[in-house]
Amino acid sequence: MSRIFEITEKVLQYAPKADVELINRAYVFAAQAHKDQRRSSGELYITHPLAVAYILASLRLDVHTIVTALLHDTVEDTHITLDDIQDRFGDEVARLVDGVTKIGQIQFHSFEHKQAENFRKMILATAKDLRVLLVKLADRLHNMRTLGFMREEKRKYISEETMQLYAPLAHRLGIHWIKQEMEDLAFSHLESEAYQFVVSQMKEKLDLLHETRSRLEGVLQEALDRQGIKAKVYGRMKHLYSIHDKMQRKHVDFSEIYDLIAFRIIVEDTPICYHTLGMIHSLYRPVPGRFKDYIALPKPNGYQSLHTSVIGPENHRIEMQIRTESMHSYAEDGVAAHWLYKDGSIKDDDRKHFQWLKQLTELLQETDNPGEFMESARLDLFVQEVYVFSRDGDIYALPRGARPLDFAYAVHTDVGHHCMGVRINGEIADFQARIRNGDQIEVLTSPDQTPSRQWIRYVKTPKARQAIRQWFRRQERDASIRIGEKILQDSFGDGELLIKDFDALECANMDELKEKLGRGEIPLESLLKVVDQDSTKPLFLKGLSHSLMRAADCCHPIPDDPVLGYFESGKGMIIHHRDCKLIPKVANNQWIGVNWKSEKGQLYPTGIEVKNYNRRGMLAHISSAISNAHANIEDLKIEQRIGAMSRLKILVEVEDRKHLAAVLRHIKVLEGVVRVSRRNQAGLGHKISNRGIGAAIKGMVSFGKRNLFKAQTVKDKKNE
Ligand code: MN
């Protein structure tokens, strides 16, 4: 059990000017706060923060980190608040304690491989200050050491979490010994049989291994001495989990693991590393493919060393790592090895390591300018993303700036398509909301909901954008095929249609024919030429599904108007007035002549214009005239003119031309009205209503027998 004076003494060794008074105060404060709590082992709770602080002192961390370690469970587990901490220990400690508490609150639900990687990134993004992460690692290490007192289920869970999240994090930060100890402890709880097996095998061989190790140490040391190389040789046993892992990965037995012992040669400087390597290779035969130069090309976590395997003395195959003292301490303690003690001095050699650390810390605090080194360390990836939870607790990584629909599409394409809203952290949010790290998002879906074109503007991820576009493409294709089908059926009847020559229509098959026909890409007359059919029979388009037909809102045609239709992909057939400005803009062969008859009670909007003197109640008179004519006002705009006149632009809903004439008559007789006329047939001027592509033409299907739509190619009207 660690005692507080052991910790302060340790700190004073590497930081003689350290404020140990602050450490002592934190200890007294934490001991008081936890005084009624005990660990599962029965020990006083304070033994845990003490142990965590001791681990961090052995990593030579600064006073604030040690103080944070002592206080790390107070906010989470006692009545102490963050404000209390801030008052007594200052901003920096409060921030660090807060960070540790926040990481502790992240709930892990899945240890699926991909999820684990996301969680690790999330921990990094949450920690912001690296010291927070180091406290968390020390906390977890001590909890693992005392895990035996927990019930089995909890032991397994914590061990799994350690294996998946914390050991890899320790590895990423280069703190080798913490990684190894965590793995061995987790291994012992997760696969106790396999663990016991490796332990027993090691035990059996232990004497032999120890003997071999010290003998080889001596042989190697002597060889180096003879060459005049100042070096120290250390033999060490492979850690248990890595033996097990190797047996699993390579499908080999324990007896086939040759490198149970590895050797480290620590030398004075980098040139001597290479010199030593050359000497070793000249003494012992190297194993091909095993040499790695991590000095010239450090690992992403900053690790540096030369690695090689040789057939060594007595034909033992042995692994060697050759490195300098400072590379070695970095290899063991990682980022912690070069932590700058605030008022201590720092060697030039360490400065670049510190620079790396500083950049990493800054990066985690979300500054905009990741250094080049960070790019090679690939840690910059972490802050480009936000990590969010689904309602079920699954974690998703999204790019920074993502919005709710991105999340919905990330869950599943269908969830995206039918997303009608979201709840973020329990509150309804709109599609424009920005997703933040740690948000919990619930997607509300409805089978009736389908994507809108607006959605494209609310998504950031390519996946969502693509899914939305694809949906519209499919809709357009389906609609075109339905229209094409209908055209064929209505033109040629229900019987099987024999197409003599698909090639002439540039179609591969019937579906493509229907689609192209539906999109208006094949004029009916071209189709006639290749169909086995009595060509004298007139073509009728009857009863086209009403939902596929709309009156254009540029020219507002009404029944009995001379109209033309053309198929707009995904929208169906749009009916335009023959005088519409759009007509010349679309290729002739795409227009289909249409006869449009009214149906009782079915109203369509069309524009009229009234010029009148400004009189009291004029507007009321006009609206009642319209209503007396059994028509509706859909929209109305007044243009005041200089003098006593004004002009009204009204969108009225009428059945057909006859009905419209009646409406105009009713208005014309009003006192004060100068002129009344229809407007907009040519699609001129601004639209007074914004109804998308206009009113759906309804109820036509029931009139199918009366051939409401008589189709013909429009050669007669528009000569080619
Ligand atoms: Mn703890």
Side-chain angles (χ1 to χ4, degrees), residues 304-335:
Q304 285 187 301
S305 200
L306 297 176
H307 286 195
T308 188
S309 290
V310 297
I311 307 300
E314 302 158 23
N315 275 337
H316 287 283
R317 180 177 156 152
I318 49 179
E319 279 184 1
M320 303 239 190
Q321 298 168 344
I322 304 164
R323 49 173 82 144
T324 66
E325 189 68 59
S326 78
M327 289 175 197
H328 180 61
S329 72
Y330 190 85
E332 287 299 300
D333 296 344
V335 293

Side-chain angles (χ1 to χ4, degrees), residues 485-684:
E485 235 159 41
K486 210 70 187 156
I487 293 172
L488 289 177
Q489 199 191 3
D490 293 340
S491 310
F492 305 105
D494 289 333
E496 203 189 336
L497 191 63
L498 290 171
I499 303 290
K500 285 181 292 192
D501 188 5
F502 276 117
D503 287 349
L505 299 170
E506 290 175 23
C507 295
N509 53 37
M510 200 53 157
D511 263 358
E512 201 183 331
L513 170 68
K514 286 173 186 168
E515 187 188 340
K516 284 191 167 179
L517 194 61
R519 280 214 302 263
E521 285 172 8
I522 300 174
L524 283 168
E525 57 176 0
S526 313
L527 183 60
L528 273 180
K529 287 177 193 151
V530 295
V531 170
D532 259 339
Q533 209 227 5
D534 180 1
S535 58
T536 59
K537 242 168 96 181
L539 271 175
F540 288 106
L541 275 184
K542 55 183 180 183
L544 272 181
S545 164
H546 61 264
S547 66
L548 298 175
M549 241 179 253
R550 278 160 204 283
D553 75 348
C554 46
C555 50
H556 291 301
I558 52 176
D560 294 333
D561 273 345
V563 290
L564 291 170
Y566 90 101
F567 292 107
E568 232 178 285
S569 48
K571 293 176 182 174
M573 187 192 257
I574 314 292
I575 308 295
H576 291 267
H577 198 284
R578 285 209 184 203
D579 294 336
C580 182
K581 256 172 58 177
L582 190 73
I583 304 267
K585 291 183 187 160
V586 174
N588 280 345
N589 62 3
Q590 291 194 26
W591 290 103
I592 293 172
V594 174
N595 281 326
W596 186 12
K597 296 283 178 209
S598 63
E599 184 196 0
K600 193 84 193 144
Q602 190 61 56
L603 302 178
Y604 300 93
T606 197
I608 61 170
E609 193 176 293
V610 182
K611 198 175 162 193
N612 61 279
Y613 288 107
N614 293 328
R615 296 212 171 151
R616 260 182 71 155
M618 197 67 222
L619 207 54
H621 289 136
I622 292 171
S623 25
S624 57
I626 291 171
S627 137
N628 287 340
H630 308 289
N632 301 325
I633 296 178
E634 164 87 14
D635 199 358
L636 183 145
K637 225 177 221 167
I638 306 172
E639 276 179 18
Q640 206 78 38
R641 301 177 66 200
I642 300 167
M645 302 280 252
S646 53
R647 197 205 315 246
L648 299 180
K649 289 178 174 176
I650 307 172
L651 200 62
V652 291
E653 284 188 320
V654 295
E655 263 178 29
D656 53 16
R657 278 169 77 101
K658 225 169 103 188
H659 189 190
L660 177 66
V663 172
L664 297 182
R665 267 199 315 275
H666 273 77
I667 298 171
K668 198 168 183 177
V669 298
L670 292 174
E671 204 179 329
V673 169
V674 178
R675 201 181 71 215
V676 56
S677 59
R678 188 166 175 198
R679 65 184 294 277
N680 269 359
Q681 305 99 292
L684 292 165

Side-chain angles (χ1 to χ4, degrees), residues 39 45 48-49 52 69 72-73 77 100 135-136 138-140 142-143:
R39 301 274 289 171
Y45 196 89
H48 168 63
V52 175
H72 82 273
D73 277 331
D77 295 341
V100 180
V135 175
K136 189 68 205 171
D139 174 42
R140 176 51 59 106
H142 183 247
N143 284 337

Side-chain angles (χ1 to χ4, degrees), residues 112-151:
E112 194 202 318
H113 182 69
K114 194 171 162 250
Q115 295 272 302
E117 177 58 17
N118 282 337
F119 271 117
R120 286 196 291 270
K121 290 179 185 172
M122 184 173 190
I123 290 170
L124 280 171
T126 307
K128 292 190 179 155
D129 190 313
L130 259 186
R131 289 172 295 175
V132 167
L133 203 55
L134 295 171
V135 175
K136 189 68 205 171
L137 289 176
D139 174 42
R140 176 51 59 106
L141 181 62
H142 183 247
N143 284 337
M144 285 304 295
R145 286 175 181 170
T146 53
L147 200 58
F149 299 99
M150 297 279 195
R151 59 196 157 78

Side-chain angles (χ1 to χ4, degrees), residues 423-439:
R423 271 202 196 100
I424 299 182
N425 303 324
E427 284 179 30
I428 295 284
D430 66 36
F431 286 168
Q432 298 185 57
R434 298 271 179 172
I435 289 172
R436 285 173 312 177
N437 209 23
D439 278 346

